[in-house]
């Protein structure tokens, strides 16, 4: 369970001890002032009343350290970042779909059926490949082709960072090219490419989303080849930083929801992510 996992986290207990000692010190100082201005009043306390002091400190420490939903609202800019565990396609928001620079969608030979792209085809388009291809082609109509590759599937390459925005069933789907496919349909990318691609994504979201919330999976994992240099904890911070930098330049949208797959949750220190989000509020 998420709660027991967080309670086993040393970060929780470190915060608990720090807040508890701080509260105990503040209560002790307050009692000292009372004793100065009302001598003898504390001498009337018996054991149950005395125990209220450490009990109050413990309650305060638990309140300050208790695992809360991983989210943070910022006033500059007026936006919110939230980290949730669940199903990307059940989020009632606009969605980001990571793709390759050839915008291949065919499963299972080129695109894995259990990938975000594969789920996009299956669950949003009910495996209607021609319909999704038509919508993607329409979204890419004004995007320049920058090269070709000899391989199975699509052969035209688009600039990395290209966003094909599809409006389907009252949602925007921001299809972001952040990996490149070689002649064997093997995907690759880099941190620099991902950062530039995200910058272009936020520009597109800013223009097309009308300020509405957008949900995004933890991109940079899976078949992109970056999991060894950008593990999931760092990938989440990377996404958050990119979004916040773009938002400080010009507000992107009202909320960014980062959706973690249930099988990946155990690899994430949620309390550390919450502290990271809180630190960005202090510097904003």
């Amino acid at each position: 369970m998420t709660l027991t996992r967080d309670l086993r986290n040393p970060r929780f207990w470190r915060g608990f001890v720090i807040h508890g000692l701080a509260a105990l010190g503040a209560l002790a100082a307050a009692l000292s002032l009372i004793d100065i201005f009302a001598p003898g009043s504390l001498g009337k306390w018996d054991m149950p009343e005395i125990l209220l002091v450490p009990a109050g400190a413990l309650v305060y420490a638990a309140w300050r350290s208790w695992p809360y939903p991983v989210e943070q609202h910022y006033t500059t800019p007026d936006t919110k970042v939230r980290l949730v565990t669940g199903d990307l396609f059940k989020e009632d928001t606009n969605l980001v779909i990571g793709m390759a620079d050839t915008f291949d969608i065919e499963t299972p030979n080129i695109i894995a059926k259990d990938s975000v792209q594969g789920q996009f085809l299956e669950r949003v388009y009910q495996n209607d490949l021609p319909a999704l291809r038509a919508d993607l082609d329409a979204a890419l109509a004004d995007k320049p082709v920058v090269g070709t590759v000899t391989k199975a599937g699509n052969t035209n390459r688009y600039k990395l960072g290209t966003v094909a925005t599809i409006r389907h069933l009252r949602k925007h789907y921001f299809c972001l090219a952040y990996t490149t496919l070689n002649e064997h349909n093997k995907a690759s990318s880099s941190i620099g490419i991902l950062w530039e691609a995200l910058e272009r994504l936020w520009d597109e979201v800013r223009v097309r989303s009308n300020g509405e919330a957008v949900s995004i999976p933890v991109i940079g994992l899976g078949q992109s080849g970056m999991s060894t240099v950008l593990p999931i904890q760092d990938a989440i911070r990377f996404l958050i930083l990119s979004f916040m930098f773009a938002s400080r330049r010009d507000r992107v949208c009202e909320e960014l929801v980062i959706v973690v797959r249930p099988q990946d949750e155990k690899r994430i220190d949620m309390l550390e992510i919450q502290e990271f989000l809180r630190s960005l509020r202090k510097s904003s």
Side-chain angles (χ1 to χ4, degrees), residues 1 6 52 157 194 226-227 240:
M1 293 177 60
D6 288 339
L52 286 175
R157 290 195 187 280
L194 178 57
M226 290 192 293
S227 58
I240 294 169

Side-chain angles (χ1 to χ4, degrees), residues 128-170:
D128 189 344
L129 186 65
L132 177 52
R133 172 51 58 201
D135 285 349
L136 271 175
D137 287 345
L140 292 167
D142 61 344
K143 312 291 185 183
V145 175
V146 297
T148 59
V149 57
T150 303
K151 68 176 191 63
N154 294 348
T155 57
N156 286 338
R157 290 195 187 280
Y158 294 84
K159 182 179 175 63
L160 285 162
T162 296
V163 184
T165 303
I166 296 174
R167 178 72 172 176
H168 183 74
L169 300 177
R170 295 185 296 176

Side-chain angles (χ1 to χ4, degrees), residues 4 28 46 78 125-126 149 242 251:
T4 57
D46 54 22
D78 182 14
Y125 279 84
Q126 287 72 53
V149 57
S242 173
R251 183 174 182 263

Side-chain angles (χ1 to χ4, degrees), residues 2 22 35 44 66 134 144 154-155 159 174 178 184 264 272:
T2 301
D35 192 47
K44 302 175 183 179
W66 197 257
N154 294 348
T155 57
K159 182 179 175 63
F174 299 99
Y178 75 95
H184 304 294
D264 292 331
E272 191 275 336

Side-chain angles (χ1 to χ4, degrees), residues 91-113:
E91 292 295 321
D92 189 24
T93 64
N94 302 311
L95 301 183
V96 174
I97 310 294
M99 290 193 172
D101 58 351
T102 51
F103 287 90
D104 282 283
I105 54 174
E106 293 79 4
T107 59
N109 295 329
I110 301 177
I111 303 301
K113 290 192 68 173

Side-chain angles (χ1 to χ4, degrees), residues 2-281:
T2 301
L3 178 59
T4 57
R5 180 206 60 206
D6 288 339
L7 293 182
R8 293 194 300 269
N9 191 322
R11 189 180 300 274
F12 167 80
W13 292 108
R14 185 163 57 249
F16 183 86
V17 170
I18 291 172
H19 292 306
L21 292 175
L24 194 61
L27 288 172
L31 292 176
S32 297
L33 290 174
I34 292 173
D35 192 47
I36 291 173
F37 293 103
S41 60
L42 298 181
K44 302 175 183 179
W45 283 24
D46 54 22
M47 184 58 67
E49 293 170 319
I50 293 173
L51 290 178
L52 286 175
V53 176
L58 289 175
V59 169
Y60 174 80
W63 173 70
R64 286 298 305 272
S65 307
W66 197 257
Y68 290 102
V70 183
E71 60 184 45
Q72 186 66 57
H73 177 261
Y74 303 92
T75 55
T76 308
D78 182 14
T79 192
K80 182 178 181 180
V81 177
R82 184 160 54 97
L83 184 70
V84 301
T85 301
D87 185 341
L88 176 71
F89 294 96
K90 289 184 178 179
E91 292 295 321
D92 189 24
T93 64
N94 302 311
L95 301 183
V96 174
I97 310 294
M99 290 193 172
D101 58 351
T102 51
F103 287 90
D104 282 283
I105 54 174
E106 293 79 4
T107 59
N109 295 329
I110 301 177
I111 303 301
K113 290 192 68 173
D114 61 351
S115 67
V116 173
Q117 290 169 259
Q119 291 295 297
F120 181 44
L121 173 61
E122 178 181 344
R123 299 175 60 182
V124 177
Y125 279 84
Q126 287 72 53
N127 284 317
D128 189 344
L129 186 65
L132 177 52
R133 172 51 58 201
D135 285 349
L136 271 175
D137 287 345
L140 292 167
D142 61 344
K143 312 291 185 183
V145 175
V146 297
T148 59
V149 57
T150 303
K151 68 176 191 63
N154 294 348
T155 57
N156 286 338
R157 290 195 187 280
Y158 294 84
K159 182 179 175 63
L160 285 162
T162 296
V163 184
T165 303
I166 296 174
R167 178 72 172 176
H168 183 74
L169 300 177
R170 295 185 296 176
K171 282 187 180 182
H172 284 101
Y173 294 91
F174 299 99
C175 301
L176 171 67
Y178 75 95
T179 64
T180 186
L181 292 181
N182 65 13
E183 61 273 15
H184 304 294
N185 278 317
K186 179 175 176 57
S188 63
S189 190
S190 70
I191 291 177
I193 288 172
L194 178 57
W195 185 267
E196 291 183 11
L198 288 172
E199 286 187 328
R200 297 184 67 178
L201 169 68
W202 306 134
D203 288 341
E204 182 75 2
V205 171
R206 188 182 290 119
V207 172
R208 301 291 295 276
S209 72
N210 196 31
E212 296 173 348
V214 62
S215 295
I216 186 170
V218 184
I219 62 176
L221 307 176
Q223 301 300 313
S224 66
M226 290 192 293
S227 58
T228 56
V229 295
L230 194 66
I232 190 167
Q233 190 86 5
D234 294 335
I236 292 170
R237 288 195 294 258
F238 191 88
L239 272 176
I240 294 169
L241 276 177
S242 173
F243 177 75
M244 288 304 298
F245 285 164
S247 296
R248 288 174 182 174
R249 185 170 65 249
D250 191 6
R251 183 174 182 263
V252 174
C253 60
E254 64 183 9
E255 182 180 23
L256 175 69
V257 183
I258 301 173
V259 182
V260 175
R261 299 182 305 174
Q263 61 265 39
D264 292 331
E265 184 186 35
K266 62 185 178 182
R267 298 159 53 199
I268 301 170
D269 184 342
M270 296 292 187
L271 295 178
E272 191 275 336
I273 296 296
Q274 178 60 59
E275 186 59 36
F276 180 70
L277 289 170
R278 191 177 295 117
S279 72
L280 293 177
R281 181 192 62 185

